Amino acid sequence: MNIQSKPLSVLPNYASDSYLDAFSRINGLVIIGEGIACRHFRYLARAIPDDRDELLRLADMEARHASDFVGCANNLKVKPDLTLAKRLFQPLHDLFLSCERDENIAGCLTIQGVIVECFALAAYQNYLPVADSYASPITAAVIDDESLHLSYAERWLKLNLTDAKTIVVEISRKALPIALAILKTLAGDMRKISIEPEEIVASFSEGFKQSMESIGLSSKEVNPILIRAVASI
Ligand code: PL3
Ligand code: FE2
Ligand code: FE2
């Protein structure tokens, strides 16, 4: 069964060395990103006791995503490049840890719940039409979960906006260029697996704007941060 939604002519050759080599780095990034997301939601479960069970469920989903994407690498007989991925994710994780040390829950949720989740959604939505037939249903299911993670953060930040607003702005200003720098480093590999990095940036910007709007920030507050971050790449 062919479950891809793009014409065969634009689908990559999943067996080519170039595809498999690029996939090892992209897949490594995804596995590390999902592992770090799990760790971040476990911290949030401790920090927000009222929502502990819900946040632990989200953390468990992240652990499952990581192991499902390991399965995608095994299916293609690829060894994920975890070393590069750790290095690429470290600055975002460090920023999360500094918010964690300051007990800055709004900052943690801005990084993990909004920025990382918007990034993941933009990336997975653009990967889905060019995914191999093993990875495709896995990616579709992960996308549904990531939407739940984003909705949780939006709900919490909206409820706490009076105190959180300046933090959301300040942390977004720091975290957006870091997230976009990860994308820039792997732009060549993304093209090799038939994803246009510019389309991820466009989907990400759209998703981030919508998310900020749902939290209660105006486009006048959000646009300059986004424009500055996109100009930095
Ligand atoms: C949130 O739950 C996890 C965050 C992971 C971030 C991943 C970013 C991925 C960029 C490349 C996407 C291409 C998808 C390929 C899948 C094997
Ligand atoms: Fe995830
Ligand atoms: Fe997630």
Side-chain angles (χ1 to χ4, degrees), residues 34 62 65 146:
E34 295 290 354
E62 303 295 22
H65 298 169
E146 308 304 10

PDB file of all heavy atoms in Angstrom, residues 34 62 65 146, ligand 2:
ATOM      1  N   GLU A  34      12.900  14.436  21.476  1.00  0.00           N
ATOM      2  CA  GLU A  34      11.801  13.774  22.186  1.00  0.00           C
ATOM      3  C   GLU A  34      12.241  13.363  23.599  1.00  0.00           C
ATOM      4  O   GLU A  34      11.470  13.458  24.550  1.00  0.00           O
ATOM      5  CB  GLU A  34      11.322  12.539  21.401  1.00  0.00           C
ATOM      6  CG  GLU A  34      10.702  12.853  20.038  1.00  0.00           C
ATOM      7  CD  GLU A  34       9.350  13.550  20.141  1.00  0.00           C
ATOM      8  OE1 GLU A  34       8.831  13.704  21.255  1.00  0.00           O
ATOM      9  OE2 GLU A  34       8.835  13.957  19.082  1.00  0.00           O
ATOM     10  N   GLU A  62       6.071  11.550  25.214  1.00  0.00           N
ATOM     11  CA  GLU A  62       7.370  11.934  24.633  1.00  0.00           C
ATOM     12  C   GLU A  62       8.337  10.737  24.620  1.00  0.00           C
ATOM     13  O   GLU A  62       9.059  10.526  23.642  1.00  0.00           O
ATOM     14  CB  GLU A  62       8.005  13.105  25.404  1.00  0.00           C
ATOM     15  CG  GLU A  62       7.155  14.374  25.498  1.00  0.00           C
ATOM     16  CD  GLU A  62       6.899  15.062  24.170  1.00  0.00           C
ATOM     17  OE1 GLU A  62       6.992  14.424  23.116  1.00  0.00           O
ATOM     18  OE2 GLU A  62       6.591  16.271  24.202  1.00  0.00           O
ATOM     19  N   HIS A  65       7.342   8.619  21.797  1.00  0.00           N
ATOM     20  CA  HIS A  65       7.777   9.200  20.504  1.00  0.00           C
ATOM     21  C   HIS A  65       9.239   8.848  20.237  1.00  0.00           C
ATOM     22  O   HIS A  65       9.610   8.469  19.128  1.00  0.00           O
ATOM     23  CB  HIS A  65       7.635  10.737  20.505  1.00  0.00           C
ATOM     24  CG  HIS A  65       6.223  11.212  20.675  1.00  0.00           C
ATOM     25  ND1 HIS A  65       5.899  12.520  20.927  1.00  0.00           N
ATOM     26  CD2 HIS A  65       5.040  10.534  20.629  1.00  0.00           C
ATOM     27  CE1 HIS A  65       4.582  12.635  21.032  1.00  0.00           C
ATOM     28  NE2 HIS A  65       4.044  11.446  20.858  1.00  0.00           N
ATOM     29  N   GLU A 146       1.533  15.976  19.785  1.00  0.00           N
ATOM     30  CA  GLU A 146       2.216  17.275  19.940  1.00  0.00           C
ATOM     31  C   GLU A 146       1.194  18.418  20.044  1.00  0.00           C
ATOM     32  O   GLU A 146       1.411  19.396  20.759  1.00  0.00           O
ATOM     33  CB  GLU A 146       3.203  17.564  18.799  1.00  0.00           C
ATOM     34  CG  GLU A 146       4.230  16.483  18.497  1.00  0.00           C
ATOM     35  CD  GLU A 146       5.108  16.039  19.647  1.00  0.00           C
ATOM     36  OE1 GLU A 146       4.866  16.407  20.804  1.00  0.00           O
ATOM     37  OE2 GLU A 146       6.058  15.277  19.380  1.00  0.00           O
TER      38      GLU A 146
HETATM   39 FE   FE2 B   2       6.982  14.470  21.092  1.00  0.00          FE
END
